[in-house]
Amino acid sequence: KVYFKAGHDALGSRGWEGDYSTMLDLCSDGANACFLTGDFDTMNEFIDEVLSKDIDTKEKYRVSEIKVKSLLTVGKANEAINAALDFRRQLGLPAPQKKPASKFTIIREYIRVKKLLKGKIAEDIANLPELDDERYEMGQRMNEHLATSVYRVEPTM
């Protein structure tokens, strides 16, 4: 983490204009190194710097994922859920509202999915084409990080 910080400081505030990709890598990898070593203050500095830049949302994925994982690690499940849902919205993907779903909604969605799967066997699903939209892959990975937390915080979300 020391080297990421040193590289970041060496490029300075003009690093984003001069060597954009290196600065993005330094901040993203630096945030990850800080997360893994428990230096959450420096991690948040790196994350906030990337998130404050006017860059493509896809390029913010790495730090957004680290942010969500770190919030889950320190027991801030509500904040992690909000951050992940916000990121999905920035990608232009649907994100549920953070409120309980009615029993009617749960049953309606269950029936809808059951109809979609009618007559299909496991092989049919396994043979579907691979997902090739990077935005959906990022959104799905965010969902995977949140699965257990959402169930604990808002089981019917």
Side-chain angles (χ1 to χ4, degrees):
K1 71 182 182 185
V2 174
Y3 296 108
F4 293 113
K5 185 76 171 147
H8 175 272
D9 293 344
L11 288 175
S13 61
R14 296 206 172 250
W16 287 98
E17 292 88 30
D19 198 352
Y20 167 83
S21 64
T22 300
M23 198 66 159
L24 180 62
D25 287 340
L26 285 170
C27 289
S28 299
D29 293 337
N32 191 50
C34 291
F35 168 65
L36 294 173
T37 58
D39 183 359
F40 294 110
D41 292 333
T42 307
M43 176 200 72
N44 284 323
E45 289 175 20
F46 281 131
I47 289 172
D48 292 342
E49 183 169 343
V50 174
L51 294 179
S52 71
K53 296 298 174 189
D54 186 22
I55 58 177
D56 186 27
T57 304
K58 292 178 190 176
E59 294 182 330
K60 294 179 181 182
Y61 172 74
R62 288 169 60 198
V63 295
S64 296
E65 181 182 38
I66 295 164
K67 180 178 182 175
V68 169
K69 290 190 320 189
S70 71
L71 289 168
L72 291 171
T73 299
V74 297
K76 296 181 177 179
N78 277 316
E79 290 179 42
I81 292 167
N82 290 336
L85 293 177
D86 183 53
F87 184 75
R88 285 184 56 86
R89 286 184 195 100
Q90 290 176 34
L91 286 171
L93 300 175
Q97 293 182 6
K98 196 176 155 200
K99 66 178 187 175
S102 68
K103 287 182 183 181
F104 173 75
T105 302
I106 294 169
I107 292 168
R108 183 187 70 217
E109 291 302 308
Y110 172 77
I111 292 169
R112 184 181 70 81
V113 171
K114 193 155 176 87
K115 283 181 182 179
L116 288 170
L117 295 175
K118 187 175 184 173
K120 301 225 182 334
I121 59 174
E123 285 180 1
D124 294 336
I125 296 168
N127 291 328
L128 288 171
E130 288 206 23
L131 188 61
D132 61 354
D133 187 334
E134 191 177 22
R135 291 177 320 117
Y136 283 102
E137 289 180 35
M138 291 176 184
Q140 183 57 33
R141 279 187 247 132
M142 280 294 178
N143 285 347
E144 291 167 8
H145 290 303
L146 294 178
T148 56
S149 296
V150 167
Y151 183 74
R152 273 189 246 132
V153 172
E154 194 58 66
T156 61
M157 188 169 132

